[in-house]
Amino acid sequence: MSEQTKEIKERTFILKTYTRKELREIYCVPPKTFQRWLEPFNEAWGMKNKRYLTIEQVRKIVEQFGIPGELEAK
C-alpha cells in the first residue's frame, strides 16, 4: 500500500455508532467543549445519557460540525 493510500485511509471517517468519548477524540476536542457543542441539540436529537450514539445521531453531529479532520478554507 502506498503512503498516499495509507494517508487517505487514516483520514477517512466511517459513519457508525460511537461513544461520546470516541467521537470527541476523533474531533480532537476537550470533554467540556464537546459537551457544550452537543448541549443545544441533546433534546432535539434524542441524545439521552446512553453509552452509544446511534448512526443517525452521529450523522447529525457530522452535518452540524463537519467531518472530523476536514478543513474548510474560506
Side-chain angles (χ1 to χ4, degrees):
M1 192 178 317
S2 72
E3 284 298 314
Q4 186 177 12
T5 306
K6 286 180 185 177
E7 185 179 325
I8 290 170
K9 189 172 184 171
E10 288 174 8
R11 292 185 298 168
T12 303
F13 177 76
I14 299 170
L15 187 61
K16 64 176 192 163
T17 60
Y18 289 96
T19 63
R20 289 175 189 255
K21 181 180 179 183
E22 288 172 334
L23 196 55
R24 175 183 56 79
E25 289 174 350
I26 291 170
Y27 273 103
C28 298
V29 295
K32 287 196 180 216
T33 301
F34 194 67
Q35 183 179 346
R36 275 187 246 127
W37 282 5
L38 298 183
E39 203 168 283
F41 307 105
N42 280 340
E43 191 173 319
W45 293 349
M47 297 174 136
K48 306 225 183 324
N49 289 328
K50 294 183 179 176
R51 182 169 173 87
Y52 286 92
L53 298 168
T54 66
I55 293 174
E56 184 63 25
Q57 290 167 335
V58 173
R59 185 184 61 76
K60 289 178 181 179
I61 291 169
V62 170
E63 286 175 356
Q64 182 68 33
F65 302 107
I67 297 172
E70 186 176 90
L71 297 176
E72 189 174 307
K74 292 188 178 192

